[in-house]
Amino acid sequence: MRPEMLLLFLGMAAVTFLPRFLPMALVSRLTIPDRAKVFLEYVPVAVLSALVFPAVFAGDGGEVGAEPRLLLSAAAVLLFAWKVRNLFGSVVLGMAAYWALGLLPGLS
C-alpha cells in the first residue's frame, strides 16, 4: 500500500470519527435540565412529521392536495401507530396498505 493511501484512509477515519465522538464526549458530561429533555423528546416526532406531511399533502406541481392512496395509507398507519405503538408494524402496514390500495381500480 502506498503511504499516501494510508494517509488518506487515516484522514477519512479522523474526519468521520471526530465529529461524532467529540459532541458525544462533551455532552455526556453535562446535566441536561428537565425542560430541555422534554423539549428533546418532541424532536423525532417533529422531524418525522416534517418528512411525512409534505409527501402526503403536496402534489407534483407544488400545489396542496392529497392523493387518495397516500392519504388512506397514512390514515391506516396513524391509527395503527396510535393504538399499537409499534414502529416496525407501522412501516409494514403502511407499505402493505399502499401496495394493496394500488391494486384497487381508481386508486392506482
Side-chain angles (χ1 to χ4, degrees):
M1 177 183 290
R2 297 185 321 215
E4 56 268 9
M5 293 297 288
L6 182 61
L7 280 175
L8 182 65
F9 290 146
L10 291 175
M12 289 189 299
V15 299
T16 303
F17 176 73
L18 288 177
R20 290 174 173 84
F21 175 74
L22 288 178
M24 183 179 64
L26 295 174
V27 172
S28 65
R29 296 176 188 209
L30 297 175
T31 302
I32 299 174
D34 289 338
R35 291 185 72 181
K37 287 181 183 177
V38 170
F39 171 77
L40 291 173
E41 288 177 1
Y42 289 105
V43 171
V45 174
V47 170
L48 185 62
S49 298
L51 293 173
V52 169
F53 279 97
V56 172
F57 294 109
D60 291 334
E63 70 275 358
V64 176
E67 181 184 337
R69 185 175 166 192
L70 281 173
L71 192 58
L72 291 172
S73 301
V77 169
L78 179 67
L79 288 174
F80 180 82
W82 181 42
K83 290 293 183 186
V84 178
R85 298 184 184 265
N86 183 332
L87 179 63
F88 182 72
S90 300
V91 170
V92 171
L93 175 69
M95 292 188 319
Y98 186 77
W99 176 76
L101 289 171
L103 297 176
L104 296 175
L107 290 178
S108 58

